[in-house]
Amino acid sequence: MSINANQNVPLKIYLVVKELLRELGRPALTLLALAALTALAVNSLRPDGGLPWGYRPGAPDASARVTEITEADELERLMELPGAILLDARDPVLFQLGHIPKAQSLPADELASRLGPFLERAKARPGQSQGDLAPVITYCSESLCPLAGRLASALAEAGLKNVFVYVPGFDDWLDLGRPVEK
Amino acid sequence: MSPNPPPRLTGCPHKPFFRHLLWPARLALGLVFLWAAWPKMLAPNDLAEIITGYRLLPLWLVAPASLLLPALELWSALAVLIGPRRFRRAGAMILAVLLLIFMTAAAQGLLRGLDFECGCFGGQDGRRPGPLFFLEDGLLFLAAVFMLFQDRSAKRDLQ
């Protein structure tokens, strides 16, 4: 096929792409098929069970005993229990700009340095001696933010009981018109 | 005298200088993508978090994309490095398309003011796409397009 110099650029691009696909379509599809098979094989052979098809960022590890809550009223009920702790997993700057009342800042990104001191305080609080009833609730900015789930999984793995994630997060709390502390 | 054959759309006559650039282009593309694919393949959860951060794909597509992307990078890089010519060019074509997608995804994220990580080389390295990202991806894109149009057999061009 020849190209006339008068042909416009979009048409030229279309013709070039068409010829490339005719020439290279089959090997490209072969590479795509090999990649799909490799992806499936590698994922099914992973010792941790692989990435779930229904992936959701921040979903706590399946092995961690963490309960997800989605209602702001439920969060308030939990906060009324003695010794309840609410943790803001977001960046400290965002925490300072506004957070859910009574929340403490424990950024998930600083977990390595701050988990130890926090656990000591958490295990010494009043509710903890009454049958481990006092809940620890984490939240992040919104449901797609992975930090709250990551923090909750780490706390549960470190031995805390009654760990919850408030999934809708701070943005939802704001949308509901709930009070904000600064 | 026989009539001239129609010129190819996707081929250029081979000038020696350009042919010398084929190997560097192949090595750069192949090695960079091998290096990029491996950590992503080992940590699909991290990659899924990063892909979510771009806020482009619906959630149900995040897992398939996180699994397919590193495998596609790996096979295309292998094809570019050690494949026969048709597969080399097909690999370069796939990588060119992927690079266009990466640049578009990063540009839309920056324009929307999203707080997201590049994730270019897997893991959560905290790297945000900046001018260097566009320069690197732009150069790799040029290398892929160069391979696509230049890595042809001289014999076929003379037909």
Side-chain angles (χ1 to χ4, degrees):
Chain A
M1 192 187 303
S2 63
I3 288 188
N4 184 330
N6 295 328
Q7 279 172 347
N8 55 20
V9 176
L11 181 63
K12 240 181 210 178
I13 293 174
Y14 166 75
L15 290 174
V16 167
V17 170
K18 198 173 149 193
E19 184 168 328
L20 278 177
L21 285 179
R22 187 182 55 77
E23 251 186 290
L24 301 175
R26 203 165 285 178
L29 278 179
T30 311
L31 288 175
L32 196 63
L34 282 170
L37 285 176
T38 310
L40 286 175
V42 168
N43 199 44
S44 60
L45 291 175
R46 289 181 66 83
D48 61 1
L51 188 69
W53 291 107
Y55 168 83
R56 185 169 58 77
D61 300 346
S63 56
R65 288 196 294 181
V66 172
T67 312
E68 294 185 301
I69 57 171
T70 54
E71 299 292 331
D73 291 341
E74 216 176 338
L75 172 62
E76 282 181 332
R77 267 200 303 280
L78 286 172
M79 285 304 292
E80 283 165 11
L81 294 171
I85 295 179
L86 181 60
L87 292 175
D88 188 314
R90 299 173 302 160
D91 192 280
V93 176
L94 294 175
F95 177 80
Q96 277 172 7
L97 289 174
H99 52 262
I100 299 179
K102 294 188 202 163
Q104 306 170 22
S105 175
L106 183 61
D109 292 340
E110 296 172 17
L111 204 55
S113 60
R114 295 185 53 178
L115 186 61
F118 170 76
L119 283 174
E120 274 173 31
R121 273 186 290 133
K123 285 178 178 167
R125 78 210 131 117
Q128 199 63 17
S129 56
Q130 298 164 8
D132 291 329
L133 284 174
V136 179
I137 311 121
T138 67
Y139 72 89
C140 188
S141 51
E142 35 102 40
S143 61
L144 289 181
C145 165
L147 301 179
R150 204 185 294 162
L151 178 59
S153 298
L155 294 173
E157 277 163 28
L160 283 187
K161 310 262 171 61
N162 283 323
V163 181
F164 296 83
V165 178
Y166 175 54
V167 178
F170 184 70
D171 291 355
D172 191 62
W173 183 266
L174 267 185
D175 290 346
L176 291 171
R178 303 275 171 143
V180 171
E181 203 174 79
K182 288 189 181 177
Chain B
M1 209 171 97
S2 64
N4 287 333
R8 298 183 67 88
L9 287 171
T10 57
C12 311
H14 285 115
K15 294 174 186 161
F17 176 73
F18 287 130
R19 282 195 73 84
H20 293 314
L21 285 178
L22 265 179
W23 261 106
R26 273 177 72 182
L27 275 180
L29 256 189
L31 291 180
V32 166
F33 272 94
L34 269 190
W35 185 32
W38 195 244
K40 288 184 213 162
M41 207 160 201
L42 293 182
N45 267 300
D46 287 354
L47 182 60
E49 260 182 36
I50 286 164
I51 290 180
T52 311
Y54 280 84
R55 307 289 153 107
L56 261 183
L57 292 180
L59 208 48
W60 61 271
L61 265 180
V62 170
S66 311
L67 296 173
L68 186 64
L69 178 67
L72 194 56
E73 287 180 352
L74 181 78
W75 277 106
S76 303
L78 285 176
V80 163
L81 282 175
I82 54 173
R85 182 171 279 117
R86 278 183 73 211
F87 278 84
R88 281 205 303 261
R89 297 182 61 221
M93 182 168 80
I94 291 173
L95 293 181
V97 172
L98 286 181
L99 284 160
L100 273 186
I101 293 173
F102 296 162
M103 288 189 281
T104 312
Q108 67 84 33
L110 292 174
L111 287 175
R112 284 163 68 192
L114 296 181
D115 178 21
F116 64 109
E117 286 182 42
C118 171
C120 312
F121 294 96
Q124 285 158 340
D125 51 8
R127 186 184 166 203
R128 307 264 185 273
L132 190 63
F133 162 85
F134 287 101
L135 182 70
E136 283 168 7
D137 278 24
L139 285 175
L140 286 171
F141 177 74
L142 286 182
V145 171
F146 174 69
M147 266 194 72
L148 199 53
F149 291 107
Q150 287 289 308
D151 191 9
R152 322 176 55 87
S153 79
K155 201 173 136 198
R156 282 191 65 185
D157 275 355
L158 292 175
Q159 277 171 1

